[in-house]
């Protein structure tokens, strides 16, 4: 995976005492730690792959895939990648109402296991954060509140089936770029028969593992196609498709259009 920093910073003047300050998606190398800084805003980091280390009040904390680290307002932010790379999504919220929201949701500083990254919420924020329209900024706030709610109340873990299904989703988010990654590989890693595992996943999410994996790859590819700055063959292989021709067939079946026709065309707002 290449290193990258993708983020947006908002300059919207919120009348509500709270706003999303910034949000993004980073993949950092271990040899270049982020600079230490003081922040008057709250910020959470949701690990997608790899491992990172965060320092808070003299204590070092490590986070792994599916875990979140939360810095409250008024903290010194000091963290670094321990893996090559350390990939995460982040969300920063700012304003006088943040401490109250933090108290209401009972979100405490430090590490918390929260499951798979809700990438669709982060991506929705990134698409709309620069908009001058109040309705778009309200949608940004709603998405941020939903992310914070996922941190405050992680999905139930007392159901073995739900836990297995979430493990499958997390594995797909981590491994979808691997062209050899498929249902057999997932079942082998979880030491389950693929039929039994498929039944659990379908009962939980009402979609097969194969369809979910293919759709996840397609959504990732369509996001890259919309940017129009990555060659199509790199998008195909970087999204887990073993050939450009197979990628083209899947795109055409899903959208009725070829990758070239979608290249550089912005995605429709949800």
């Amino acid at each position: 995976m290449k290193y990258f920093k993708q983020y947006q910073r908002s300059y919207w003047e919120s009348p509500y005492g709270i706003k999303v300050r910034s949000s993004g998606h980073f993949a950092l190398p271990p040899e270049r730690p982020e600079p230490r800084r003081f922040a008057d805003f709250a910020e959470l980091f949701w690990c997608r792959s790899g491992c990172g280390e965060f320092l808070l009040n003299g204590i070092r904390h490590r986070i792994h895939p599916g875990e979140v680290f939360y810095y409250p307002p008024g903290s010194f932010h000091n963290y670094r990648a321990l893996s090559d790379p350390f990939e995460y999504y982040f969300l920063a919220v700012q304003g006088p109402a943040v401490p109250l929201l933090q108290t209401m949701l009972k979100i405490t500083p430090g590490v918390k296991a929260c499951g798979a990254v809700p990438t669709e919420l982060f991506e929705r924020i990134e698409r709309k954060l620069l908009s001058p329209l109040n309705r778009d900024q309200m949608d940004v706030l709603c998405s941020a509140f939903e992310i914070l709610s996922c941190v405050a109340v992680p999905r139930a873990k007392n159901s073995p089936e739900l836990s297995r299904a979430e493990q499958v989703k997390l594995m797909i988010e981590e491994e979808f770029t691997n062209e050899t990654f498929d249902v057999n590989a997932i079942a082998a890693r979880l030491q389950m028969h693929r039929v039994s595992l498929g039944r659990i996943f379908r009962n939980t999410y009402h979609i097969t593992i194969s369809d979910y994996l293919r759709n996840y790859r397609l959504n990732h590819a369509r996001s890259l196609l919309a940017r129009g700055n990555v060659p199509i063959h790199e998008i195909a292989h970087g999204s887990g498709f073993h050939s450009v021709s197979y990628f083209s067939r899947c795109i055409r079946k899903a959208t009725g259009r070829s990758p070239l026709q979608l290249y550089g065309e912005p995605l429709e707002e949800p």
Side-chain angles (χ1 to χ4, degrees), residues 35-172:
R36 182 175 183 267
R37 60 188 173 122
F38 178 81
D40 63 352
F41 50 85
E43 190 166 20
L44 64 85
F45 303 79
W46 203 316
C47 180
R48 183 174 184 179
S49 65
C51 177
E53 182 180 78
F54 292 76
L55 183 64
L56 179 63
N57 299 327
I59 301 175
R60 298 186 183 277
H61 306 263
R62 291 187 177 186
I63 67 171
H64 302 87
E67 294 180 336
V68 170
F69 188 87
Y70 178 74
Y71 275 121
S75 301
F76 281 97
H77 293 200
N78 190 356
Y79 63 97
R80 64 190 179 107
L82 294 181
S83 62
D84 191 10
F86 168 44
E87 184 188 1
Y88 63 89
Y89 285 78
F90 75 87
L91 173 71
V93 290
Q94 187 175 34
V98 171
L100 176 60
L101 180 65
Q102 175 183 299
T103 300
M104 290 174 59
L105 294 177
K106 298 181 180 179
I107 298 177
T108 56
V111 180
K112 189 171 186 179
C114 298
V117 181
T119 54
E120 69 282 358
L121 295 175
F122 282 98
E123 289 168 359
R124 183 181 302 162
I125 289 174
E126 185 176 351
R127 289 197 302 272
K128 296 190 175 184
L129 197 56
L130 297 182
S131 172
L133 300 179
N134 282 336
R135 63 183 182 185
D136 285 340
Q137 292 302 326
M138 288 303 299
D139 194 24
V140 165
L141 277 176
C142 289
S143 298
F145 291 157
E146 192 168 349
I147 290 172
L148 291 169
S149 297
C150 290
V151 174
V153 186
R155 296 161 189 164
K157 296 183 179 179
N158 56 354
S159 167
E161 291 202 355
L162 182 58
S163 178
R164 283 296 191 191
E166 285 190 337
Q167 288 179 40
V168 171
K169 285 186 68 177
L170 184 57
M171 288 173 62
I172 288 174

